[in-house]
Amino acid sequence: MTADPSVPTAGDPPEEGVSLHLLGGFRLLREAVPVVVPRGLQRVIALIGLRPGATRSQLAGLLWPDASEERALSSLRTALWRLRQDPCCPMTIASDTVRLGPAVRLDVDDLVGTAARVRDGDDPRIAAGALAAGRHDLLPGWYDDWVLLDRERLRQLRLHMLEQVAGQHLTAGRHGEALEAALEAMAAEPLRETPHRLVVRIHLAEGNAFEAVHAFYVYRDLLRRELRLEPSPAMSALLDDTLAPIRQATRGAVTDRPSPAGRRT
């Protein structure tokens, strides 16, 4: 691990001005300067960030699942020793546990904290970073089992957060902000019904019947094409009142049409 030589490191607290970014790719910054970390040590630092307070045995088992416990622990000891030799080391080790230093900022924590504030009912305008938080996947291109598990956990956390933000804005009558959050969730997972349903509700709340019907049929066509499924009854029911006059007029036109036998020759 090495930082830009123009930035002094000797004698500074190791965690001063250190931030760890795992969303969108691994980046360790010290005073906004990238720290070069070998790939093997990146895995160790990333796991420590995602599993705060994990024991050495737990870390070793996740990092080297195919090795014996003794060999995995030996590999971990070597990795931790290498990390502690560097003044940019972002970790603290207490007894049998390893964690990031208390002043190290982790972008995953920012996402989790923002989601918690939204879940607790904070004004969504206060959590203005909710739309951008977690926009990138956790450690793309990494396929360790522990990465895949946390990647999906954080993806679902963000989707629910965006839907909650949209719902809160909709309830408060802030339709523009509600639509922005719903579209952000839709972009993150185009086949997920909940954000599409929110978009339909928002358009209906604004009195934009055409936009609501258009949004419904765009999603229906996408679902049919990709999964050969239909929207849920709950989503279809959103447009029952809007489409009722059209359906009634269509049925009336069919009823009034003369039968072939009754046509004049």
Side-chain angles (χ1 to χ4, degrees), residues 202-225:
I202 294 164
H203 288 314
L204 289 174
E206 292 183 298
N208 294 325
F210 168 77
E211 295 283 4
V213 173
H214 177 70
F216 173 84
Y217 282 111
V218 166
Y219 177 62
R220 188 201 65 175
D221 292 345
L222 174 66
L223 203 59
R224 284 179 173 179
R225 183 172 64 252

Side-chain angles (χ1 to χ4, degrees), residues 133-152:
R135 185 171 283 165
H136 303 290
D137 283 340
L138 176 74
L139 297 170
W142 292 32
Y143 299 103
D144 304 76
D145 288 343
W146 53 272
V147 174
L148 297 176
L149 180 64
D150 273 16
R151 184 182 297 156
E152 180 61 18

Side-chain angles (χ1 to χ4, degrees), residues 3-265:
D4 189 310
S6 64
V7 180
T9 59
D12 292 340
E15 70 275 9
E16 181 180 349
V18 175
S19 59
L20 177 60
H21 301 261
L22 304 180
L23 301 173
F26 183 98
R27 286 183 301 141
L28 182 64
L29 305 178
R30 189 168 190 269
E31 300 295 343
V33 177
V35 177
V36 179
V37 184
R39 180 59 182 267
L41 296 183
Q42 289 182 19
R43 293 176 67 248
V44 177
I45 295 172
L47 180 58
I48 291 171
L50 293 170
R51 298 288 192 279
T55 66
R56 291 176 183 243
S57 294
Q58 292 168 336
L59 293 173
L62 290 169
L63 289 167
W64 295 279
D66 298 326
S68 66
E69 182 177 5
E70 181 179 356
R71 184 170 181 178
L73 284 170
S74 175
S75 298
L76 179 63
R77 282 194 297 270
T78 300
L80 294 177
W81 180 85
R82 290 175 61 192
L83 286 169
R84 295 182 72 181
Q85 304 313 301
D86 196 286
C88 296
C89 177
M91 303 177 316
T92 59
I93 300 175
S95 183
D96 192 40
T97 61
V98 187
R99 64 176 67 243
L100 294 179
V104 177
R105 180 172 179 176
L106 178 63
D107 60 351
V108 170
D109 290 342
D110 293 341
L111 169 60
V112 173
T114 301
R117 289 191 296 274
V118 171
R119 184 177 61 248
D120 292 341
D122 284 4
D123 188 330
R125 287 174 295 186
I126 296 176
L131 270 63
R135 185 171 283 165
H136 303 290
D137 283 340
L138 176 74
L139 297 170
W142 292 32
Y143 299 103
D144 304 76
D145 288 343
W146 53 272
V147 174
L148 297 176
L149 180 64
D150 273 16
R151 184 182 297 156
E152 180 61 18
R153 175 179 66 85
L154 294 173
R155 190 181 76 90
Q156 290 293 331
L157 178 71
R158 180 171 187 261
L159 285 170
H160 283 89
M161 174 186 68
L162 291 170
E163 291 164 1
Q164 287 178 309
V165 169
Q168 291 171 3
H169 280 310
L170 176 58
T171 301
R174 296 186 290 267
H175 299 133
E177 293 94 329
L179 188 59
E180 186 178 8
L183 291 175
E184 185 76 27
M186 188 187 301
E189 181 46 80
L191 291 173
R192 184 179 172 93
E193 181 175 301
T194 313
H196 289 271
R197 196 186 306 169
L198 279 163
V199 169
V200 172
R201 290 176 55 201
I202 294 164
H203 288 314
L204 289 174
E206 292 183 298
N208 294 325
F210 168 77
E211 295 283 4
V213 173
H214 177 70
F216 173 84
Y217 282 111
V218 166
Y219 177 62
R220 188 201 65 175
D221 292 345
L222 174 66
L223 203 59
R224 284 179 173 179
R225 183 172 64 252
E226 297 295 331
L227 299 177
R228 296 184 180 180
L229 294 175
E230 293 287 337
S232 71
M235 184 166 185
S236 299
L238 292 175
L239 293 174
D240 280 350
D241 292 341
T242 302
L243 295 178
I246 300 174
R247 291 167 178 163
Q248 185 174 0
T250 302
R251 285 195 297 268
V254 172
T255 302
D256 295 340
R257 185 181 304 166
S259 63
R263 291 179 181 172
R264 295 181 181 177
T265 58

